[in-house]
Amino acid sequence: MHPIFSTGAIYAAAAFCEIAGCFAFWAWLKLSKSIFWLAPGAALLIAFASLLTLVPSEAAGRAYAAYGGVYILASLVWLWLVEGQMPDRWDVTGSLLALAGAAVILFAPRAA
């Protein structure tokens, strides 16, 4: 598999784990869900952190910075599919700009 596709899959899985894990805490604190939402939420956040270590990057900060663009898009997908609120054109424009920035950070040729 090409590194760009495997990196995208890792980031997509990490984004799902992070957003779902954070949402479990949100649901407990803001939506009065059971405290039992916290255990799967914590497990998902551990999975998120573990997944980011799989990104083929020589620098953690660069991998995290590039992930930010994916996280923005994934958050808007969550907003739409889970929370039932359609992202507007500014949400979409902003997420596309963030993804472009993430691609530059992660895939630009680096001097050795």
Side-chain angles (χ1 to χ4, degrees), residues 28-112:
W28 172 59
L29 288 171
K30 299 275 219 168
L31 304 177
S32 301
K33 299 294 183 183
S34 165
I35 196 166
F36 294 110
W37 278 61
L38 297 181
L44 285 162
L45 291 172
I46 290 168
F48 151 71
S50 299
L51 283 163
L52 282 186
T53 67
L54 302 177
V55 173
S57 176
E58 71 286 345
R62 188 169 287 130
Y64 302 158
Y67 167 72
V70 175
Y71 178 80
I72 291 168
L73 176 63
S75 296
L76 294 173
V77 171
W78 182 275
L79 174 74
W80 183 25
L81 297 179
V82 175
E83 297 184 55
Q85 295 186 34
M86 179 72 86
D88 64 23
R89 66 182 172 160
W90 300 112
D91 294 327
V92 173
T93 301
S95 67
L96 292 175
L97 288 169
L99 280 175
V104 169
I105 290 168
L106 194 60
F107 300 119
R110 306 265 180 225

Coordinates of all heavy atoms in Angstrom, one line a residue, residues 28-112:
W28 N -21.1 12.4 29.0 CA -21.3 12.2 30.5 C -21.4 13.6 31.2 O -22.3 13.7 32.0 CB -20.0 11.5 31.0 CG -19.9 11.4 32.5 CD1 -20.8 10.9 33.4 CD2 -18.9 12.0 33.3 NE1 -20.4 11.1 34.7 CE2 -19.2 11.7 34.7 CE3 -17.7 12.7 33.1 CZ2 -18.4 12.1 35.7 CZ3 -16.9 13.1 34.1 CH2 -17.3 12.8 35.4
L29 N -20.6 14.5 30.8 CA -20.7 15.8 31.5 C -21.8 16.7 31.0 O -22.4 17.5 31.8 CB -19.3 16.6 31.3 CG -18.2 16.0 32.0 CD1 -16.9 16.6 31.6 CD2 -18.4 16.2 33.5
K30 N -22.1 16.7 29.7 CA -23.0 17.7 29.1 C -24.4 17.1 28.8 O -25.4 17.9 28.8 CB -22.4 18.3 27.8 CG -21.1 19.1 28.0 CD -21.4 20.5 28.4 CE -20.5 21.4 27.7 NZ -20.8 22.8 27.9
L31 N -24.4 15.8 28.6 CA -25.7 15.2 28.2 C -26.3 14.3 29.3 O -27.2 13.6 29.1 CB -25.5 14.4 26.9 CG -25.0 15.2 25.7 CD1 -24.8 14.3 24.5 CD2 -25.9 16.4 25.4
S32 N -25.6 14.3 30.5 CA -26.1 13.5 31.6 C -26.1 12.0 31.4 O -27.0 11.3 31.9 CB -27.4 14.0 32.1 OG -27.3 15.4 32.5
K33 N -25.2 11.5 30.5 CA -25.1 10.1 30.3 C -24.5 9.4 31.5 O -23.8 10.1 32.4 CB -24.3 9.8 29.0 CG -25.0 10.3 27.8 CD -26.3 9.7 27.5 CE -26.9 10.2 26.2 NZ -28.2 9.7 25.9
S34 N -24.6 8.1 31.6 CA -24.0 7.4 32.7 C -22.5 7.5 32.8 O -21.8 7.7 31.8 CB -24.3 5.9 32.5 OG -23.6 5.1 33.3
I35 N -22.0 7.4 34.0 CA -20.5 7.4 34.2 C -19.8 6.3 33.5 O -18.6 6.3 33.2 CB -20.2 7.4 35.7 CG1 -18.7 7.9 35.9 CG2 -20.5 6.1 36.3 CD1 -18.4 8.2 37.3
F36 N -20.6 5.3 33.1 CA -20.0 4.1 32.4 C -19.6 4.5 31.0 O -19.0 3.7 30.3 CB -21.0 2.9 32.5 CG -21.2 2.4 33.8 CD1 -22.4 2.6 34.5 CD2 -20.1 1.7 34.5 CE1 -22.5 2.1 35.8 CE2 -20.3 1.3 35.8 CZ -21.5 1.4 36.4
W37 N -20.0 5.6 30.5 CA -19.5 6.1 29.2 C -18.0 6.4 29.2 O -17.3 6.4 28.2 CB -20.2 7.4 28.8 CG -21.6 7.1 28.2 CD1 -22.7 6.5 28.8 CD2 -22.0 7.5 26.9 NE1 -23.7 6.5 27.9 CE2 -23.3 7.1 26.7 CE3 -21.4 8.1 25.8 CZ2 -24.0 7.3 25.5 CZ3 -22.1 8.4 24.6 CH2 -23.4 7.9 24.5
L38 N -17.4 6.6 30.5 CA -16.0 7.0 30.6 C -15.1 5.9 30.2 O -14.0 6.2 29.7 CB -15.8 7.6 32.0 CG -16.5 8.9 32.3 CD1 -16.2 9.3 33.7 CD2 -16.3 9.9 31.3
A39 N -15.4 4.7 30.6 CA -14.4 3.6 30.3 C -14.2 3.4 28.8 O -13.0 3.4 28.4 CB -14.9 2.3 31.0
P40 N -15.2 3.3 28.0 CA -14.9 3.1 26.6 C -14.3 4.4 26.0 O -13.5 4.4 25.1 CB -16.3 2.8 25.9 CG -17.3 3.1 26.9 CD -16.6 3.1 28.3
G41 N -14.7 5.6 26.6 CA -14.1 6.8 26.1 C -12.6 6.8 26.4 O -11.8 7.2 25.5
A42 N -12.2 6.4 27.6 CA -10.7 6.4 27.9 C -10.0 5.4 27.0 O -8.9 5.7 26.5 CB -10.5 6.0 29.4
A43 N -10.6 4.2 26.7 CA -10.0 3.2 25.9 C -9.8 3.8 24.5 O -8.8 3.5 23.8 CB -10.8 2.0 25.9
L44 N -10.8 4.5 24.0 CA -10.7 5.1 22.6 C -9.6 6.2 22.6 O -8.9 6.3 21.6 CB -12.0 5.7 22.2 CG -13.1 4.7 21.8 CD1 -14.5 5.3 21.8 CD2 -12.8 4.1 20.4
L45 N -9.4 6.9 23.6 CA -8.4 7.9 23.7 C -7.0 7.3 23.7 O -6.0 7.8 23.1 CB -8.6 8.9 24.8 CG -9.8 9.8 24.6 CD1 -10.1 10.6 25.9 CD2 -9.6 10.7 23.4
I46 N -6.9 6.1 24.4 CA -5.6 5.4 24.4 C -5.3 4.8 23.0 O -4.2 4.9 22.5 CB -5.6 4.3 25.4 CG1 -5.6 4.9 26.8 CG2 -4.5 3.3 25.2 CD1 -5.9 3.9 27.9
A47 N -6.4 4.3 22.3 CA -6.2 3.8 20.9 C -5.8 5.0 20.0 O -4.9 4.8 19.2 CB -7.5 3.2 20.5
F48 N -6.4 6.1 20.2 CA -6.0 7.3 19.4 C -4.5 7.6 19.5 O -3.8 7.8 18.5 CB -6.8 8.5 19.8 CG -6.2 9.9 19.7 CD1 -6.0 10.4 18.4 CD2 -5.8 10.6 20.8 CE1 -5.4 11.6 18.2 CE2 -5.2 11.8 20.6 CZ -4.9 12.3 19.3
A49 N -4.0 7.7 20.7 CA -2.6 8.0 21.0 C -1.7 7.0 20.4 O -0.7 7.3 19.8 CB -2.4 8.2 22.5
S50 N -2.1 5.7 20.5 CA -1.3 4.6 20.0 C -1.3 4.7 18.4 O -0.2 4.4 17.8 CB -1.9 3.3 20.4 OG -1.9 3.2 21.8
L51 N -2.4 5.0 17.8 CA -2.5 5.0 16.4 C -1.5 6.1 15.8 O -0.9 5.9 14.8 CB -3.9 5.3 15.9 CG -4.8 4.0 15.9 CD1 -6.3 4.5 15.8 CD2 -4.4 3.1 14.8
L52 N -1.4 7.2 16.4 CA -0.6 8.3 15.9 C 0.9 7.9 15.9 O 1.7 8.4 15.1 CB -0.8 9.6 16.7 CG -2.0 10.4 16.4 CD1 -2.0 11.7 17.1 CD2 -2.2 10.6 14.9
T53 N 1.3 6.9 16.8 CA 2.7 6.5 16.7 C 3.0 5.7 15.5 O 4.2 5.4 15.2 CB 3.0 5.7 18.0 OG1 2.3 4.4 17.9 CG2 2.7 6.4 19.3
L54 N 2.0 5.2 14.7 CA 2.2 4.4 13.5 C 2.4 5.3 12.3 O 2.8 4.7 11.2 CB 1.0 3.5 13.3 CG 0.6 2.6 14.5 CD1 -0.7 1.8 14.1 CD2 1.8 1.6 14.8
V55 N 2.2 6.6 12.4 CA 2.4 7.4 11.2 C 3.9 7.5 10.8 O 4.7 7.7 11.7 CB 1.9 8.9 11.5 CG1 2.2 9.8 10.4 CG2 0.4 8.8 11.7
P56 N 4.2 7.2 9.6 CA 5.6 7.2 9.1 C 6.2 8.6 9.0 O 6.1 9.3 8.0 CB 5.5 6.6 7.7 CG 4.2 6.8 7.3 CD 3.3 6.9 8.5
S57 N 6.6 9.1 10.2 CA 7.2 10.5 10.2 C 8.4 10.4 11.2 O 8.3 9.7 12.2 CB 6.2 11.5 10.7 OG 6.8 12.8 10.9
E58 N 9.4 11.1 10.9 CA 10.6 11.1 11.7 C 10.4 12.0 12.9 O 11.2 12.0 13.9 CB 11.9 11.5 10.9 CG 11.9 13.0 10.5 CD 11.0 13.3 9.3 OE1 10.5 12.4 8.6 OE2 10.8 14.5 9.1
A59 N 9.4 12.9 12.9 CA 9.2 13.8 14.0 C 7.7 13.7 14.5 O 6.8 13.9 13.7 CB 9.5 15.2 13.6
A60 N 7.6 13.5 15.8 CA 6.2 13.4 16.4 C 5.4 14.7 16.1 O 4.3 14.7 15.7 CB 6.3 13.1 17.9
G61 N 6.1 15.9 16.3 CA 5.4 17.1 16.2 C 4.8 17.3 14.8 O 3.7 17.9 14.6
R62 N 5.6 16.9 13.8 CA 5.1 17.0 12.4 C 3.9 16.1 12.2 O 3.0 16.5 11.5 CB 6.3 16.7 11.4 CG 5.9 17.0 10.0 CD 7.1 16.9 9.1 NE 8.0 18.1 9.3 CZ 9.3 18.0 9.5 NH1 9.9 16.9 9.5 NH2 10.0 19.1 9.8
A63 N 4.0 14.9 12.7 CA 2.9 14.0 12.5 C 1.6 14.5 13.2 O 0.5 14.4 12.6 CB 3.2 12.6 13.1
Y64 N 1.8 15.1 14.4 CA 0.6 15.7 15.1 C 0.1 16.9 14.4 O -1.1 17.1 14.3 CB 1.0 16.1 16.5 CG 1.6 14.9 17.4 CD1 2.3 15.2 18.5 CD2 1.3 13.6 17.1 CE1 2.9 14.2 19.3 CE2 1.8 12.6 17.8 CZ 2.6 12.9 19.0 OH 3.1 11.9 19.7
A65 N 1.0 17.7 13.8 CA 0.5 18.9 13.1 C -0.3 18.6 11.9 O -1.3 19.1 11.6 CB 1.7 19.8 12.7
A66 N 0.2 17.6 11.1 CA -0.5 17.2 9.9 C -1.8 16.5 10.3 O -2.8 16.7 9.6 CB 0.3 16.2 9.1
Y67 N -1.9 15.8 11.4 CA -3.1 15.2 11.9 C -4.2 16.2 12.2 O -5.4 15.9 12.0 CB -2.8 14.3 13.2 CG -4.1 13.9 13.9 CD1 -4.9 12.9 13.3 CD2 -4.5 14.5 15.1 CE1 -6.1 12.6 14.0 CE2 -5.7 14.2 15.7 CZ -6.5 13.2 15.1 OH -7.6 12.8 15.8
G68 N -3.8 17.4 12.5 CA -4.8 18.5 12.8 C -5.7 18.7 11.7 O -6.9 18.9 11.9
G69 N -5.2 18.7 10.5 CA -6.1 18.9 9.3 C -7.1 17.8 9.2 O -8.3 18.0 8.9
V70 N -6.7 16.5 9.4 CA -7.6 15.4 9.3 C -8.6 15.5 10.4 O -9.8 15.2 10.2 CB -6.8 14.1 9.4 CG1 -7.7 12.9 9.4 CG2 -5.8 14.0 8.2
Y71 N -8.2 15.9 11.6 CA -9.1 16.0 12.8 C -10.2 17.0 12.5 O -11.4 16.8 12.8 CB -8.3 16.4 14.0 CG -9.2 16.6 15.2 CD1 -9.6 15.5 16.0 CD2 -9.6 17.8 15.6 CE1 -10.4 15.6 17.1 CE2 -10.4 18.0 16.7 CZ -10.8 16.9 17.5 OH -11.6 17.0 18.5
I72 N -9.9 18.1 11.9 CA -10.9 19.1 11.5 C -12.0 18.6 10.6 O -13.1 18.7 10.9 CB -10.2 20.4 10.9 CG1 -9.4 21.1 12.0 CG2 -11.3 21.3 10.3 CD1 -8.5 22.2 11.4
L73 N -11.5 17.9 9.6 CA -12.5 17.3 8.7 C -13.3 16.2 9.4 O -14.6 16.2 9.3 CB -11.8 16.7 7.4 CG -12.7 15.9 6.5 CD1 -13.7 16.9 5.8 CD2 -11.9 15.2 5.4
A74 N -12.7 15.3 10.1 CA -13.4 14.3 10.9 C -14.4 14.9 11.9 O -15.5 14.3 12.0 CB -12.4 13.4 11.5
S75 N -14.0 16.0 12.5 CA -15.0 16.6 13.4 C -16.2 17.1 12.8 O -17.3 17.0 13.3 CB -14.3 17.8 14.2 OG -13.2 17.3 14.9
L76 N -16.1 17.6 11.5 CA -17.2 18.1 10.8 C -18.1 16.9 10.3 O -19.3 17.0 10.3 CB -16.8 19.0 9.7 CG -16.2 20.3 10.1 CD1 -15.6 21.1 8.9 CD2 -17.1 21.1 10.9
V77 N -17.4 15.8 9.9 CA -18.2 14.6 9.6 C -19.0 14.1 10.8 O -20.2 13.7 10.7 CB -17.3 13.5 9.0 CG1 -18.0 12.2 8.8 CG2 -16.7 14.0 7.7
W78 N -18.4 14.1 12.0 CA -19.0 13.7 13.2 C -20.2 14.6 13.5 O -21.3 14.2 13.8 CB -18.1 13.8 14.4 CG -18.6 13.3 15.7 CD1 -19.4 14.1 16.6 CD2 -18.6 12.0 16.2 NE1 -19.7 13.4 17.6 CE2 -19.3 12.1 17.5 CE3 -18.0 10.8 15.8 CZ2 -19.4 11.0 18.3 CZ3 -18.1 9.7 16.7 CH2 -18.8 9.8 17.9
L79 N -20.0 15.9 13.3 CA -21.1 16.9 13.5 C -22.3 16.6 12.6 O -23.4 16.6 13.1 CB -20.5 18.3 13.1 CG -21.5 19.5 13.1 CD1 -21.9 19.9 14.5 CD2 -21.0 20.7 12.3
W80 N -22.0 16.2 11.4 CA -23.1 15.9 10.5 C -23.7 14.5 10.8 O -25.0 14.4 10.9 CB -22.5 15.9 9.1 CG -23.5 15.7 7.9 CD1 -24.8 15.9 7.9 CD2 -23.1 15.2 6.7 NE1 -25.3 15.5 6.7 CE2 -24.3 15.1 5.9 CE3 -21.9 14.8 6.1 CZ2 -24.4 14.6 4.6 CZ3 -22.0 14.3 4.7 CH2 -23.2 14.3 4.0
L81 N -22.9 13.5 10.9 CA -23.5 12.1 11.0 C -24.0 11.7 12.4 O -25.0 11.0 12.5 CB -22.4 11.1 10.5 CG -22.0 11.2 9.1 CD1 -20.9 10.1 8.8 CD2 -23.2 11.1 8.1
V82 N -23.3 12.2 13.4 CA -23.7 11.8 14.8 C -24.6 12.9 15.4 O -25.6 12.6 16.0 CB -22.4 11.6 15.6 CG1 -22.8 11.3 17.1 CG2 -21.6 10.4 15.0
E83 N -24.2 14.2 15.2 CA -25.0 15.2 15.9 C -26.1 15.8 15.0 O -26.9 16.6 15.5 CB -24.1 16.3 16.3 CG -23.1 15.8 17.4 CD -22.2 16.9 17.9 OE1 -22.7 17.9 18.4 OE2 -20.9 16.7 17.8
G84 N -26.2 15.4 13.8 CA -27.3 15.8 12.9 C -27.3 17.2 12.4 O -28.3 17.7 12.1
Q85 N -26.1 17.8 12.5 CA -26.0 19.2 12.0 C -25.1 19.3 10.8 O -24.0 18.9 10.8 CB -25.4 20.1 13.1 CG -26.3 20.2 14.3 CD -25.7 21.2 15.3 OE1 -25.1 22.2 15.0 NE2 -25.9 20.8 16.6
M86 N -25.7 19.8 9.7 CA -25.0 19.9 8.4 C -23.9 21.0 8.5 O -24.2 22.1 8.8 CB -26.0 20.2 7.3 CG -25.3 20.3 6.0 SD -24.8 18.8 5.3 CE -26.3 18.2 4.5
P87 N -22.7 20.6 8.2 CA -21.6 21.7 8.1 C -22.0 22.7 6.9 O -22.6 22.3 5.9 CB -20.4 20.9 7.7 CG -20.6 19.5 8.1 CD -22.1 19.3 8.0
D88 N -21.7 23.9 7.2 CA -22.0 24.9 6.1 C -20.8 25.1 5.2 O -19.7 24.4 5.4 CB -22.4 26.2 6.7 CG -21.4 26.9 7.6 OD1 -20.1 26.7 7.4 OD2 -21.7 27.8 8.4
R89 N -20.9 26.0 4.2 CA -19.8 26.1 3.2 C -18.5 26.6 3.9 O -17.5 26.3 3.4 CB -20.3 27.0 2.1 CG -20.5 28.5 2.6 CD -21.0 29.3 1.4 NE -21.4 30.6 2.0 CZ -21.5 31.7 1.3 NH1 -21.3 31.6 0.0 NH2 -21.9 32.8 1.8
W90 N -18.6 27.4 4.9 CA -17.4 27.8 5.6 C -16.7 26.7 6.4 O -15.5 26.7 6.4 CB -17.7 29.0 6.5 CG -18.3 30.1 5.7 CD1 -19.6 30.6 5.8 CD2 -17.7 30.9 4.7 NE1 -19.8 31.6 4.8 CE2 -18.6 31.8 4.2 CE3 -16.4 30.9 4.2 CZ2 -18.3 32.7 3.1 CZ3 -16.1 31.8 3.1 CH2 -17.0 32.7 2.6
D91 N -17.5 25.8 6.9 CA -16.9 24.6 7.6 C -16.2 23.8 6.5 O -15.0 23.4 6.7 CB -18.0 23.7 8.2 CG -18.7 24.4 9.3 OD1 -18.1 25.2 10.1 OD2 -19.9 24.1 9.5
V92 N -16.8 23.6 5.4 CA -16.2 22.8 4.3 C -14.9 23.5 3.8 O -13.9 22.8 3.6 CB -17.2 22.5 3.2 CG1 -16.5 21.8 2.0 CG2 -18.4 21.6 3.7
T93 N -15.0 24.8 3.5 CA -13.9 25.5 3.0 C -12.7 25.5 4.0 O -11.6 25.2 3.6 CB -14.3 27.0 2.7 OG1 -15.3 27.0 1.8 CG2 -13.1 27.8 2.2
G94 N -13.0 25.7 5.2 CA -12.0 25.7 6.3 C -11.3 24.3 6.4 O -10.1 24.2 6.5
S95 N -12.1 23.2 6.3 CA -11.5 21.9 6.4 C -10.7 21.6 5.2 O -9.6 20.9 5.3 CB -12.6 20.8 6.6 OG -13.4 20.7 5.5
L96 N -11.1 22.0 4.0 CA -10.3 21.8 2.8 C -8.9 22.5 2.9 O -7.9 22.0 2.5 CB -11.0 22.1 1.6 CG -12.2 21.2 1.2 CD1 -13.0 21.8 0.0 CD2 -11.8 19.8 1.0
L97 N -9.0 23.7 3.4 CA -7.7 24.5 3.6 C -6.8 23.8 4.6 O -5.6 23.7 4.5 CB -8.0 25.9 4.1 CG -8.6 26.8 3.0 CD1 -9.1 28.1 3.7 CD2 -7.6 27.1 2.0
A98 N -7.4 23.3 5.7 CA -6.6 22.6 6.7 C -6.0 21.3 6.2 O -4.9 21.0 6.5 CB -7.5 22.3 8.0
L99 N -6.8 20.6 5.4 CA -6.2 19.3 4.8 C -5.1 19.7 3.8 O -4.1 18.9 3.8 CB -7.3 18.6 4.0 CG -8.2 17.7 4.9 CD1 -9.3 17.1 4.0 CD2 -7.5 16.6 5.6
A100 N -5.2 20.7 3.1 CA -4.1 21.1 2.2 C -2.9 21.5 3.0 O -1.8 21.0 2.6 CB -4.6 22.3 1.3
G101 N -3.0 22.2 4.1 CA -1.9 22.5 4.9 C -1.3 21.2 5.5 O -0.1 21.1 5.6
A102 N -2.2 20.3 5.9 CA -1.7 19.0 6.5 C -0.8 18.3 5.5 O 0.2 17.7 5.8 CB -2.8 18.2 7.0
A103 N -1.3 18.2 4.2 CA -0.6 17.5 3.2 C 0.8 18.2 2.9 O 1.8 17.4 2.8 CB -1.4 17.5 1.9
V104 N 0.8 19.5 2.9 CA 2.1 20.1 2.8 C 3.1 19.8 3.9 O 4.2 19.4 3.7 CB 1.9 21.7 2.7 CG1 3.3 22.4 2.8 CG2 1.2 22.1 1.4
I105 N 2.6 19.8 5.1 CA 3.4 19.5 6.3 C 4.0 18.1 6.2 O 5.1 17.8 6.4 CB 2.7 19.7 7.6 CG1 2.4 21.2 7.8 CG2 3.4 19.1 8.8 CD1 1.4 21.5 8.9
L106 N 3.1 17.1 5.9 CA 3.5 15.7 6.0 C 4.2 15.2 4.8 O 5.2 14.4 4.9 CB 2.2 14.9 6.2 CG 2.5 13.4 6.7 CD1 3.3 13.4 8.0 CD2 1.2 12.7 6.8
F107 N 3.9 15.7 3.6 CA 4.4 15.0 2.4 C 5.4 15.9 1.6 O 5.9 15.4 0.5 CB 3.2 14.6 1.5 CG 2.3 13.6 2.1 CD1 1.0 13.9 2.3 CD2 2.8 12.4 2.6 CE1 0.1 13.0 3.0 CE2 2.0 11.5 3.2 CZ 0.6 11.8 3.4
A108 N 5.7 17.1 2.0 CA 6.7 17.9 1.3 C 8.0 17.3 1.4 O 8.4 16.6 2.4 CB 6.7 19.3 1.9
P109 N 8.8 17.4 0.3 CA 10.2 16.8 0.3 C 11.0 17.6 1.3 O 10.9 18.8 1.4 CB 10.7 17.0 -1.1 CG 9.8 18.0 -1.7 CD 8.5 18.0 -1.0
R110 N 11.8 16.8 2.1 CA 12.6 17.4 3.1 C 14.1 17.3 2.7 O 14.5 16.2 2.2 CB 12.4 16.8 4.5 CG 11.0 16.7 4.9 CD 10.6 17.9 5.8 NE 9.2 17.8 6.2 CZ 8.4 18.8 6.2 NH1 8.8 20.0 5.9 NH2 7.2 18.7 6.5
A111 N 14.9 18.3 3.0 CA 16.3 18.2 2.8 C 16.9 17.2 3.9 O 16.5 17.3 5.0 CB 17.0 19.5 2.9
A112 N 17.8 16.4 3.5 CA 18.4 15.4 4.4 C 19.5 16.0 5.1 O 20.1 16.9 4.9 CB 18.8 14.1 3.7

